[in-house]
């Protein structure tokens, strides 16, 4: 199957494009409830085409109109473009954002010029969790570059941006309770508020992540009297002040991100052998009736998750905790399965957990190694399929048959530095992931898709290049 050269990415469920083009009157209208969606579109038209559209409430006879469809399913949209008027129908911010992104991809023009095809689009996503993760803790990303990642989510209709704010030696969130965690490069509360607003206006959910009880050198080195300082970057459960400290950190994250329904608390790769040698930890194990340090690992996941649940949010953790003691864990916890060496997605789904696919292969991008998978490998993957990092074929693939247990998937960018060095492969693989999650069944071959993806990438760079200009060359 070939694609019409004007087809948006991800490809819509129904797309009919006419041969006629028309110019638009420079105005966008929307109801008061969705005026923010119109203003976002206005900004992108200015960036991409150099045109200043007005924004108003109402239903015009020309230009672009965001029309509320109260019966539209979540995230769905329709576009009807004819006779000088583009109407985008949706029932929520995400739906309008998806419709606007599709219109921006089909529009043609250059500085001071913009024209639209007559077209009809009817569309909705097949998979609910469609995400991108960026490791801010170990990277040197500017605030503007983080906004660009949100632009990419908007453009390719992803609905989650997962931000890994803390890991080992950096904590890049502001903390009133523990100000020494800021080593000089944390985002401030004003930037977090701006980030929240920017994401919300585009229908993208922010997933903030901090790390506990492992990957916590920044906690144990900076505040050893609270988090313990003798366990190689793992907190000390025997510290009498530990749980108050962790509770405070989780509370701060929830306050910084009041509209994030999920809070990620890490919980992976914990070096728990040190707990067995610590008299304070052994005392804690005895009081909690725990048989081993391994079982205490799971107990720590339980205690930290309860802190999130108590605040009305859903905890997310990485795969990593052992089976020992996991019967005590709330099934409200969502597990991101990446290595499939601690517990597999199949085992976790069978145990009643919901999972998110973050399979090392083909979803990881690790520029520091460097290691990543080519876009065509992502295209051959499915959202309920896991592969070991070292797999050379599909002979050991792990398929979760209970599809309702798999919320979705995300690309994971680890140990990057900045957009200049990492952006190209992120753009490539994110576009492919978006296609594979938006449309579970593919009717388009990879070559045809890749050709169309290259065309839409040019439109993406019209959107983001102005933001990236200050960071495009090494200093």
């Amino acid at each position: 199957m070939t694609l019409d050269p004007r087809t948006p990415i991800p490809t819509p469920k129904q797309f009919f494009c006419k041969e006629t083009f028309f110019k638009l009157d420079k105005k966008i209208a929307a109801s008061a409830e969705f005026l923010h969606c119109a203003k976002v579109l206005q900004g992108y038209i200015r960036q991409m085409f150099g045109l200043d559209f007005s924004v108003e409430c109402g239903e015009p006879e020309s230009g672009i109109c965001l029309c509320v469809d109260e019966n539209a399913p979540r995230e769905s949209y329709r576009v009807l473009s004819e006779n000088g008027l583009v109407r985008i129908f949706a029932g929520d911010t995400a739906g309008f954002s998806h419709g606007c992104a599709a219109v921006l991809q089909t529009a043609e023009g250059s500085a001071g010029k913009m024209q639209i095809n007559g077209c009809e689009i009817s569309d909705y996503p097949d998979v609910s969790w469609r995400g991108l993760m960026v490791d801010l803790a170990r990277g040197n990303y500017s605030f503007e570059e983080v906004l660009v990642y949100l632009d990419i989510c908007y453009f390719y209709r992803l609905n989650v941006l997962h931000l890994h704010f803390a890991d080992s030696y950096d904590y890049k969130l502001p903390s009133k309770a523990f100000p020494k965690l800021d080593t000089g490069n944390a985002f401030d509360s004003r930037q977090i508020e701006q980030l929240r607003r920017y994401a919300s206006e585009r229908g993208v959910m922010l997933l903030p992540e901090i790390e506990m009880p492992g990957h916590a050198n920044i906690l144990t080195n900076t505040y050893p009297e609270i988090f313990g300082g003798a366990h190689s970057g793992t907190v000390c459960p025997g510290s009498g002040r530990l749980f108050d400290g962790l509770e405070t950190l989780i509370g701060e994250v929830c306050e910084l991100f009041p509209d994030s329904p999920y809070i990620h608390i890490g919980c992976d790769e914990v070096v728990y052998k040190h707990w067995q040698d610590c008299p304070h930890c052994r005392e804690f194990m005895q009081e909690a009736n725990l048989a081993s340090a391994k079982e205490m690992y799971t107990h720590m996941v339980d205690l930290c998750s309860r802190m999130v649940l108590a605040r009305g949010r859903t905890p997310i953790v990485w795969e990593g905790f052992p089976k020992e003691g996991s019967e005590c864990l709330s099934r409200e916890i969502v597990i991101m399965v990446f290595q499939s060496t601690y517990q597999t997605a199949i085992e976790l789904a069978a145990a009643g957990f919901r999972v998110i696919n973050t399979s090392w292969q083909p979803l990881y991008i690790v520029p520091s190694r460097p290691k990543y998978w080519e876009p065509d490998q992502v295209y051959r993957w499915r959202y309920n399929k896991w592969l070991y990092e070292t797999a050379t074929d599909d002979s050991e693939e792990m398929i979760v048959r209970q599809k309702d247990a798999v919320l979705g998937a995300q690309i994971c960018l680890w140990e990057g530095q900045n957009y200049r060095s990492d952006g190209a492969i992120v753009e490539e693989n994110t576009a492919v992931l978006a296609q594979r999650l938006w449309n579970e069944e593919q009717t388009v071959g990879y070559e045809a898709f890749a050709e169309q993806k290259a065309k839409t990438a040019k439109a993406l760079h019209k959107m983001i290049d102005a933001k990236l200009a200050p960071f495009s060359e090494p200093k």
Side-chain angles (χ1 to χ4, degrees):
M1 176 181 176
T2 59
L3 288 173
D4 185 299
R6 295 155 292 190
T7 306
I9 298 295
T11 54
K13 298 291 188 296
Q14 296 179 24
F15 177 67
F16 173 70
C17 200
K18 303 174 184 177
E19 294 302 320
T20 56
F21 278 97
F22 57 85
K23 292 183 179 179
L24 287 169
D25 286 346
K26 292 187 287 186
K27 56 187 177 183
I28 307 169
S31 66
E33 182 183 3
F34 294 107
L35 210 57
H36 61 282
C37 296
K39 291 179 179 177
V40 169
L41 178 60
Q42 176 193 45
Y44 284 135
I45 290 174
R46 185 181 300 119
Q47 289 171 245
M48 296 174 71
F49 302 101
L51 296 171
D52 288 314
F53 277 50
S54 64
V55 171
E56 59 190 45
C57 284
E59 294 189 15
E61 296 181 357
S62 60
I64 301 174
C65 182
L66 276 56
C67 307
V68 177
D69 179 356
E70 295 181 352
N71 297 316
R74 186 171 177 269
E75 291 199 78
S76 68
Y77 71 94
R78 292 183 294 120
V79 176
L80 182 59
S81 173
E82 59 183 355
N83 302 325
L85 176 63
V86 176
R87 286 178 289 171
I88 303 170
F89 299 87
D92 57 10
T93 294
F96 279 119
S97 296
H98 301 333
C100 290
V103 168
L104 289 170
Q105 289 190 27
T106 59
E108 296 186 9
S110 54
K113 297 180 181 179
M114 177 183 176
Q115 58 182 13
I116 298 284
N117 267 105
C119 71
E120 296 179 23
I121 305 174
S122 181
D123 204 11
Y124 57 88
D126 286 339
V127 178
S128 62
W129 187 288
R130 309 179 308 281
L132 168 64
M133 190 219 84
V134 182
D135 181 2
L136 298 181
R138 287 175 288 203
N140 296 308
Y141 300 98
S142 68
F143 177 70
E144 289 75 14
E145 287 174 305
V146 180
L147 297 183
V148 167
Y149 282 118
L150 278 167
D151 291 333
I152 291 174
C153 290
Y154 178 95
F155 189 82
Y156 287 124
R157 290 176 252 151
L158 300 181
N159 61 356
V160 179
L161 180 63
H162 172 181
L163 297 175
H164 186 77
F165 282 109
D167 202 309
S168 298
Y169 297 100
D170 256 314
Y171 192 94
K172 291 190 175 176
L173 285 173
S175 174
K176 294 179 181 177
F178 304 108
K180 290 189 292 184
L181 293 178
D182 181 3
T183 58
N185 53 6
F187 298 101
D188 61 38
S189 56
R190 178 190 58 80
Q191 290 173 316
I192 297 300
E193 172 58 30
Q194 185 179 343
L195 187 66
R196 279 185 48 237
R197 186 168 60 250
Y198 198 89
S200 176
E201 290 170 349
R202 286 155 179 77
V204 179
M205 181 187 76
L206 292 179
L207 172 62
E209 180 189 355
I210 60 175
E211 281 275 12
M212 58 184 69
H215 287 273
N217 306 70
I218 187 67
L219 302 181
T220 59
N221 292 353
T222 309
Y223 292 95
E225 71 280 10
I226 297 172
F227 301 104
H231 299 325
S232 296
T234 302
V235 300
C236 176
S239 168
R241 300 173 63 184
L242 172 67
F243 294 103
D244 287 342
L246 295 179
E247 185 110 39
T248 298
L249 284 174
I250 288 172
E252 286 187 329
V253 175
C254 290
E255 288 178 13
L256 286 167
F257 297 91
D259 44 6
S260 292
Y262 298 88
I263 302 294
H264 202 310
I265 53 174
C267 295
D268 62 313
E269 300 175 335
V270 175
V271 184
Y272 54 80
K273 64 181 181 179
H274 301 287
W275 291 342
Q276 198 75 52
D277 301 325
C278 171
H280 303 295
C281 292
R282 289 200 301 271
E283 183 180 353
F284 178 86
M285 281 190 280
Q286 186 174 6
E287 292 174 354
N289 197 28
L290 301 170
S292 66
K294 181 182 284 190
E295 192 173 328
M296 185 160 71
Y297 179 3
T298 309
H299 185 65
M300 287 290 294
V301 175
D302 178 46
L303 293 176
C304 296
S305 297
R306 288 177 186 273
M307 297 174 191
V308 177
L309 289 166
R311 288 168 171 78
R313 314 296 181 90
T314 299
I316 297 182
V317 303
W318 296 105
E319 159 219 351
F321 60 86
K323 292 181 182 178
E324 288 85 350
S326 61
E327 65 278 357
C328 72
L329 296 178
S330 168
R331 268 40 184 178
E332 289 298 306
I333 301 170
V334 176
I335 318 294
M336 287 188 169
V337 184
F338 64 107
Q339 278 191 312
S340 301
T341 53
Y342 303 95
Q343 294 187 65
T344 68
I346 295 172
E347 292 170 332
L348 290 162
F353 291 104
R354 292 170 296 161
V355 298
I356 295 170
N357 195 330
T358 56
S359 179
W360 243 101
Q361 181 176 179
L363 301 181
Y364 266 38
I365 299 173
V366 190
S368 63
R369 295 197 177 189
K371 188 158 191 176
Y372 58 86
W373 279 265
E374 296 297 332
D376 64 309
Q377 293 172 287
V378 181
Y379 200 76
R380 294 195 299 269
W381 158 94
R382 298 175 70 90
Y383 81 97
N384 64 329
K385 169 182 172 179
W386 276 258
L387 288 168
Y388 292 114
E389 177 189 351
T390 56
T392 56
D393 55 38
D394 290 347
S395 60
E396 294 184 284
E397 68 180 13
M398 292 158 279
I399 305 290
V400 176
R401 305 295 177 189
Q402 305 154 254
K403 287 188 175 180
D404 58 346
V406 185
L407 298 185
Q410 60 185 45
I411 291 289
C412 295
L413 172 60
W414 289 105
E415 299 177 8
Q417 284 304 305
N418 51 48
Y419 200 92
R420 176 172 48 81
S421 61
D422 313 332
I425 186 61
V426 174
E427 290 174 22
E428 288 270 359
N429 285 9
T430 297
V432 180
L433 177 89
Q435 173 72 8
R436 294 301 285 122
L437 296 178
W438 192 270
N439 298 298
E440 183 181 353
E441 299 300 329
Q442 295 302 313
T443 58
V444 181
Y446 179 72
E447 288 186 5
F449 171 78
E451 183 178 347
Q452 187 60 22
K453 175 169 62 69
K455 294 174 183 176
T456 58
K458 294 178 182 178
L460 172 65
H461 276 272
K462 286 184 181 181
M463 176 184 285
I464 66 176
D465 278 355
K467 278 196 189 81
L468 291 173
F471 315 100
S472 61
E473 295 296 334
K475 296 182 180 179

